[in-house]
């Protein structure tokens, strides 16, 4: 939900008007899917990275507004918490040296941002959940000052009507309550975008859902929250719970959560937008002046503002996107399952694995979703979030299989073939997929490095948990700047 919002109080009439407008947009979108020219000739990709700011003691630094002003770069934006920033990479093709170009640009942008942050006694850390966050940090007063976050907070908390419960049981257990959505700010993610044609969107979305568990297992990097070791990718549980608008009674009735895996394979992108309208009441009922029917009949490109805003408040792990660039509409799959970090090269390895694997499976002769039940895909997703590289997933022809075995024996060759289909330079392909291979062979990703480093600090240095976490974050920040992949990092 990246747009600015200033209105804070909505009337019943606002909600009725907005609901009608959303449905009008949905009808126009259906017409566009039938005979409109969407931009899909050369599929562009995109990356978004959410960042953490820490001070010299590895504590969260609530300074994003002043640091953002100093950076003065439109690629950097605010995020939910005052210790967050977001970096949006320039969209590009990944053919040829596209990944090398991403790496150069991301490292340059982050280095420059780090230099600006240093002026405010802060530095950037790329991690799924900042391990030194406490409940005292994640409060409403520490939300970013942009009014849209306050409005969103008020609407989610108001819809629930009671305190939000966090209950995450992993290696250790966390159970607490919050009166705001501020804990969501702890969830800093890496998001991939891939542009697709309308007639192939369902294949790419279904393939993205099928591999979500594999992605999370290989890329997990969020094992700690509030000083407790929970899931390998605790961000999955935290994000769902921190934005849940449902009291217990609605959960018991089967009302869908706004952070949602979904419940079925699809045949069209329309299925997802129609589900959003059917299942989820509006959080931000703000209408625009555009009449999409008139725009369409006049030969223009409707913005469908209300439909897009509503879509932005339903947090699917693989989200459908309708957007307009250079006066041409296009469709994207927005893959949201992964955490930020640990390094730029690690994130690009995750990107290469996703883009290659999703293309390889989407264009396979026998679709993976015709062999894997949707419920198995969802169970894989949560099993991977809990156990990371130790997860056992269900996969066609393998049955229940360790995720590392599945990746090494089955999925890496598919990803390589998919990258070849994009025209990726073979040296780039082999370098980035080689990082995924080595994570699986060594059993070491970001989550494993974090937990091993904290254990070592506790057992061999005599530190308590808080001191061990601060030590680990300091070391993490140093190693992150080497851009050496995390499976090579020493534990000390």
């Amino acid at each position: 939900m990246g747009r600015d919002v200033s209105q804070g109080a909505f009337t019943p009439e606002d909600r009725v008007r907005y609901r009608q407008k959303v449905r009008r947009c949905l009808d126009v979108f259906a017409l566009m899917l039938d005979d409109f020219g969407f931009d899909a000739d050369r599929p562009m990709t995109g990356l978004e990275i959410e960042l953490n700011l820490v001070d010299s003691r590895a504590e969260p630094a609530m300074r994003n507004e002043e640091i953002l002003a100093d950076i003065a770069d439109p690629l950097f934006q605010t995020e939910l918490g005052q210790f967050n920033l977001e970096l949006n990479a320039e969209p590009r093709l990944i053919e040829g040296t596209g990944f090398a170009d991403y790496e150069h640009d991301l490292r340059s942008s982050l280095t420059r941002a780090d230099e600006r942050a240093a002026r405010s006694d802060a530095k950037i850390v790329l991690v799924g959940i900042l391990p030194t966050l406490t409940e005292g940090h994640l409060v409403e007063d520490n939300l970013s000052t942009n009014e849209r976050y306050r409005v969103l907070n008020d609407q989610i908390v108001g819809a629930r009507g009671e305190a939000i419960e966090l209950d995450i049981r992993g290696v250790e257990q966390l159970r607490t309550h919050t009166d705001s959505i501020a804990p969501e700010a702890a969830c800093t993610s890496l998001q991939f975008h891939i542009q697709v044609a309308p007639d192939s969107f369902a294949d790419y979305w279904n393939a993205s859902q099928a591999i979500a568990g594999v992605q999370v297992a290989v890329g997990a990097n969020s094992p700690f929250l509030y000083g407790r070791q929970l899931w390998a990718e605790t961000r999955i549980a935290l994000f769902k719970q921190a934005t849940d608008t449902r009291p217990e009674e609605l959960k018991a009735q089967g009302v869908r959560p706004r952070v949602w895996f979904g419940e079925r394979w699809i045949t069209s992108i329309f299925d997802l937008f129609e589900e959003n309208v059917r299942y989820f009441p509006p959080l931000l009922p703000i209408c625009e002046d555009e009449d999409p029917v008139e725009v369409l009949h006049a030969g223009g490109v409707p913005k469908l503002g209300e439909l897009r805003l509503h879509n932005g408040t339903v947090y699917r792990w693989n989200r459908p996107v309708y957007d307009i660039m250079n006066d041409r509409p296009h469709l994207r799959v927005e893959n949201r399952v992964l955490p930020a970090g640990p390094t730029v090269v690690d994130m690009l390895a995750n990107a290469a694995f996703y883009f290659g694997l999703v293309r390889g499976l989407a264009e396979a002769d026998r679709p993976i979703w015709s062999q894997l039940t949707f419920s198995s895909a969802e169970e894989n997703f949560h099993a991977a979030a809990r156990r990371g590289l130790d997860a056992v997933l269900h996969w066609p022809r393998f049955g229940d299989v360790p995720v590392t075995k599945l990746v090494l024996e089955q999925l890496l060759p598919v990803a390589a073939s998919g990258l070849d289909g994009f025209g990726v330079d073979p040296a780039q392909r082999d370098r980035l997929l080689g990082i995924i291979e080595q994570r699986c062979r060594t059993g070491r990703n970001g989550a494993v490095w974090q937990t091993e480093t904290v254990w070592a600090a506790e057992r061999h240095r005599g530190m308590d948990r808080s001191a061990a976490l601060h030590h680990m974050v300091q070391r993490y920040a140093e190693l992150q700047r080497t851009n050496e992949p995390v499976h090579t990092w020493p534990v000390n």
Side-chain angles (χ1 to χ4, degrees):
M1 203 276 295
R3 54 184 290 176
D4 287 332
V5 174
S6 58
Q7 184 172 348
F10 301 106
T11 67
E13 290 76 16
D14 289 332
R15 297 184 183 280
V16 171
R17 188 182 311 112
Y18 181 82
R19 183 177 289 110
Q20 292 171 344
K21 191 73 178 292
V22 168
R23 289 173 176 166
R24 189 171 179 85
C25 289
L26 187 63
D27 291 341
V28 169
F29 185 57
L31 294 173
M32 294 177 69
L33 290 174
D34 285 339
D35 58 9
F36 211 87
F38 286 83
D39 188 6
D41 298 335
R42 302 184 73 199
M44 300 288 284
T45 66
L47 304 178
E48 298 177 44
I49 309 169
E50 294 168 351
L51 318 171
N52 292 280
L53 298 168
V54 301
D55 63 20
S56 58
R57 299 169 298 143
E59 290 281 302
M62 307 297 175
R63 299 168 199 153
N64 68 350
E65 190 169 10
E66 63 183 270
I67 292 170
L68 193 61
D70 200 7
I71 294 172
D73 183 341
L75 295 179
F76 286 86
Q77 303 290 331
T78 57
E79 252 299 329
L80 182 61
Q82 291 183 30
F83 60 95
N84 299 143
L85 293 175
E86 180 177 274
L87 169 58
N88 295 282
E90 291 280 2
R92 70 194 66 210
L93 301 169
I94 56 173
E95 67 182 21
T97 61
F99 281 112
D101 296 338
Y102 264 134
E103 184 170 5
H104 175 270
D105 289 354
L106 288 173
R107 293 192 70 189
S108 296
S109 293
L110 289 168
T111 296
R112 181 173 177 274
D114 232 358
E115 291 170 352
R116 298 299 189 274
R119 298 176 184 175
S120 300
D121 187 31
K123 55 187 173 184
I124 291 170
V125 175
L126 305 167
V127 65
I129 294 176
L130 182 61
T132 53
L133 284 167
T134 66
E135 291 186 68
H137 295 127
L138 295 175
V139 295
E140 186 175 352
D141 285 347
N142 286 334
L143 295 178
S144 289
T145 57
N146 190 309
E147 186 63 23
R148 74 173 183 257
Y149 300 121
R150 307 283 172 171
V151 174
L152 186 64
N153 176 75
D154 292 346
Q155 294 302 305
I156 289 178
V157 173
R160 185 179 176 91
E162 59 189 50
I164 297 171
E165 182 181 36
L166 303 179
D167 186 358
I168 306 174
R169 306 177 190 195
V171 176
E172 297 167 351
Q173 181 176 350
L174 171 69
R175 188 169 188 181
T176 187
H177 291 79
T178 176
D179 59 1
S180 76
I181 63 169
E184 182 195 338
C187 304
T188 37
S189 67
L190 168 66
Q191 299 168 20
F192 304 135
H193 293 253
I194 183 167
Q195 187 177 319
V196 294
D199 59 359
S200 61
F201 183 94
D203 293 344
Y204 275 78
W205 188 85
N206 288 341
S208 296
Q209 291 286 99
I211 65 173
V214 177
Q215 284 183 270
V216 169
V218 171
N221 194 31
S222 311
F224 293 102
L225 176 63
Y226 294 167
R228 294 174 176 84
Q229 183 185 346
L230 300 171
W231 294 7
E233 190 49 42
T234 305
R235 193 182 114 267
I236 300 299
L238 177 59
F239 189 47
K240 179 177 180 179
Q241 294 180 22
T243 56
D244 200 342
T245 58
R246 307 167 304 162
E248 292 301 320
E249 294 81 2
L250 292 185
K251 292 180 186 179
Q253 293 170 30
V255 172
R256 282 89 174 166
R258 293 194 91 96
V259 176
W260 195 33
F261 189 81
E263 59 193 19
R264 63 184 177 117
W265 306 120
I266 64 168
T267 58
S268 167
I269 187 175
F270 185 83
D271 296 347
L272 302 177
F273 281 102
E274 192 274 333
E275 284 181 346
N276 289 353
V277 174
R278 178 156 37 111
Y279 294 143
F280 299 100
L283 280 181
L284 302 169
I286 301 168
C287 289
E288 299 186 0
D289 294 334
E290 177 189 78
D291 184 331
V293 174
E294 289 183 2
V295 174
L296 185 65
H297 287 167
V301 180
K303 295 180 180 178
L304 308 182
E306 293 79 9
L307 186 66
R308 292 162 71 185
L309 177 58
H310 186 58
N311 184 55
T313 64
V314 179
Y315 304 101
R316 294 178 183 271
W317 293 109
N318 285 292
R319 176 187 277 167
V321 176
Y322 166 84
D323 207 350
I324 301 168
M325 184 175 295
N326 300 324
D327 297 323
R328 291 193 66 187
H330 68 262
L331 306 176
R332 303 194 304 267
V333 177
E334 181 185 22
N335 178 255
R336 303 161 51 84
V337 306
L338 285 174
T343 65
V344 169
V345 75
D346 278 305
M347 292 188 292
L348 290 175
N350 291 338
F353 187 54
Y354 169 71
F355 289 135
L357 186 55
V358 76
R359 177 165 183 159
L361 292 177
E363 297 183 359
D365 292 336
R366 187 179 179 194
I368 186 66
W369 54 96
S370 70
Q371 308 168 64
L372 181 72
T373 66
F374 195 91
S375 61
S376 291
E378 184 173 16
E379 289 165 7
N380 285 346
F381 180 63
H382 289 106
R386 288 185 176 92
R387 297 188 57 80
L389 284 171
D390 290 331
V392 174
L393 308 185
H394 185 78
W395 200 258
R397 299 203 315 273
F398 281 82
D400 293 335
V401 57
V403 67
T404 52
K405 176 182 174 71
L406 176 63
V407 171
L408 292 170
E409 296 185 8
Q410 177 71 18
L411 299 183
L412 277 174
V414 177
S417 176
L419 293 178
D420 289 343
F422 280 113
V424 173
D425 177 75
Q428 289 293 312
R429 175 201 65 201
D430 294 345
R431 176 191 180 220
L432 295 175
L433 293 186
I435 291 171
I436 303 299
E437 177 185 359
Q438 287 305 309
R439 281 190 216 156
C440 291
R441 294 197 185 282
T442 61
R444 297 175 61 78
N445 58 14
V448 171
W449 184 89
Q450 288 191 52
T451 55
E452 288 184 351
T453 301
V454 168
W455 293 342
E458 290 175 334
R459 295 170 186 175
H460 304 311
R461 294 172 180 255
M463 294 182 179
D464 64 17
R465 176 61 60 83
S466 178
L469 289 171
H470 284 76
H471 163 76
M472 182 267 285
V473 172
Q474 295 278 26
R475 187 69 176 130
Y476 183 105
E478 294 169 3
L479 292 167
Q480 175 185 284
R481 281 153 180 77
T482 68
N483 202 38
E484 293 297 325
V486 72
H487 70 268
T488 68
W489 288 8
V491 174
N492 52 32

